[in-house]
Amino acid sequence: MRILLTGWRGYVGGAARAAAQGRGHEVTVLTRSDEETAAALAQGLRTARGDLADPPSLAPAVAAAEAVIHCAASDAPAFQPVNHAAVAAMLAALPGEARFVMHGGSLVFGPTGPAPAHPAQTAPPPFLAARAAIDQLVLDAAASGQRAAGVYGSFVHGGGPGAAIPSSWAAAARAAGRVALSCAGPVSWSTCHVSDWGALLVLAAEALSPADGPVFAAAGTAQIADIAAELAHQLALPLVERPPEAALEAGPFGPALLLNQWFDGAPARARFGWTPQHTTIAGSLLEGL
């Protein structure tokens, strides 16, 4: 299959690239410079010039693809309007039978409650409103009959410092000399190793239908208290319980860890034949951090 991949040198994009190449697909990556093109060619990739900041430049590469995997991302506020325009342009240029999958963070769905969920609409906290608007573009495209979906990770781990929540929590703990756990009762999060997330992005690109809706890379589930204990053990630091208002002591994502983010991964397993290789955080929570 001809796959166009954005963000191929990033944390999730790198995992998707490895999975796509491992499954024998013809992978074309979006490049913005001669240096980036040379690096891609050296890894056996095809290249197409384009820039997310120049939406018309994306159309030729998208039109030539059988699937687009969009992994270029940034949490910077200035990037959100750029990404919004780029996603809109790619969806507009997508051939009728082609598929569009985009990686996303599950926080745009808000708190799930204390049971596994498979939400169909976003309910973002205010700081993610711009990102949720991008995700809504993809939801709307699927509702109109396009083969488009977001593939969402929650507590993503493994593979290095791109793992936003464990890396920020570990950095805060090292700086403070303790692991902070803000107490707000039992809280559950789905977990996923980045390599399993990359694999699911590729599987969705192969078989996605308009009816599939959001896809959740939920390989396992862990209590936040248990993750904190594991983090303290691996860092050889004391675990200190703190009140909810002190959540930022666990890093910039600390307040998010007060919410249940528990998603139903069974549809991804059943629909796409996804078989995650890492169903717990054991051994990879601090991998590469």
Side-chain angles (χ1 to χ4, degrees):
M1 186 170 65
R2 298 187 306 276
I3 293 177
L4 175 66
L5 174 64
T6 73
W8 65 280
R9 293 202 287 188
Y11 178 58
V12 183
R17 173 192 54 76
Q21 287 184 300
R23 290 180 65 81
H25 294 303
E26 178 186 295
V27 182
T28 297
V29 298
L30 205 64
T31 64
R32 294 182 297 173
S33 66
D34 291 343
E35 178 186 13
E36 191 175 11
T37 297
L41 293 173
Q43 295 189 40
L45 301 165
R46 295 171 181 258
T47 65
R49 279 300 179 94
D51 191 333
L52 298 182
D54 179 15
S57 73
L58 306 174
V62 172
E66 294 175 285
V68 175
I69 301 178
H70 180 42
C71 291
S74 168
D75 291 329
F79 180 71
Q80 303 314 311
V82 172
N83 198 18
H84 193 285
V87 169
M90 287 188 282
L91 288 169
L94 194 70
E97 296 300 310
R99 297 180 176 90
F100 181 91
V101 297
M102 178 175 72
H103 93 305
S106 64
L107 279 172
V108 297
F109 291 97
T112 62
H118 197 91
Q121 296 294 319
T122 59
F127 73 94
L128 284 178
R131 173 65 207 201
I134 298 168
D135 292 55
Q136 192 62 47
L137 284 177
V138 180
L139 291 168
D140 292 344
S144 71
Q146 284 188 287
R147 292 172 167 84
V151 178
Y152 294 91
S154 309
F155 198 101
V156 181
H157 56 99
I165 295 178
S167 63
S168 65
W169 198 355
R174 287 179 173 122
R178 65 183 187 185
V179 174
L181 171 63
S182 294
C183 301
V187 175
S188 296
W189 271 57
S190 293
T191 63
C192 187
H193 192 279
V194 67
S195 63
D196 289 321
W197 194 7
L200 182 54
L201 282 159
V202 175
L203 291 170
E206 293 174 354
L208 187 73
S209 75
D212 284 320
V215 180
F216 295 97
T221 306
Q223 293 282 319
I224 289 299
D226 292 335
I227 297 175
E230 178 67 13
L231 185 64
H233 172 71
Q234 292 190 24
L235 292 176
L237 292 173
L239 176 63
V240 178
E241 294 189 357
R242 301 286 289 144
E245 58 268 24
L248 280 172
E249 291 182 21
F253 289 95
L257 300 176
L258 302 175
L259 309 175
N260 285 288
Q261 279 272 288
W262 189 358
F263 297 94
D264 185 3
R269 289 175 167 85
R271 175 68 180 87
F272 304 112
W274 183 51
T275 53
Q277 302 302 299
H278 304 80
T279 57
T280 75
I281 60 171
S284 59
L285 178 59
L286 295 180
E287 185 178 84
L289 301 181

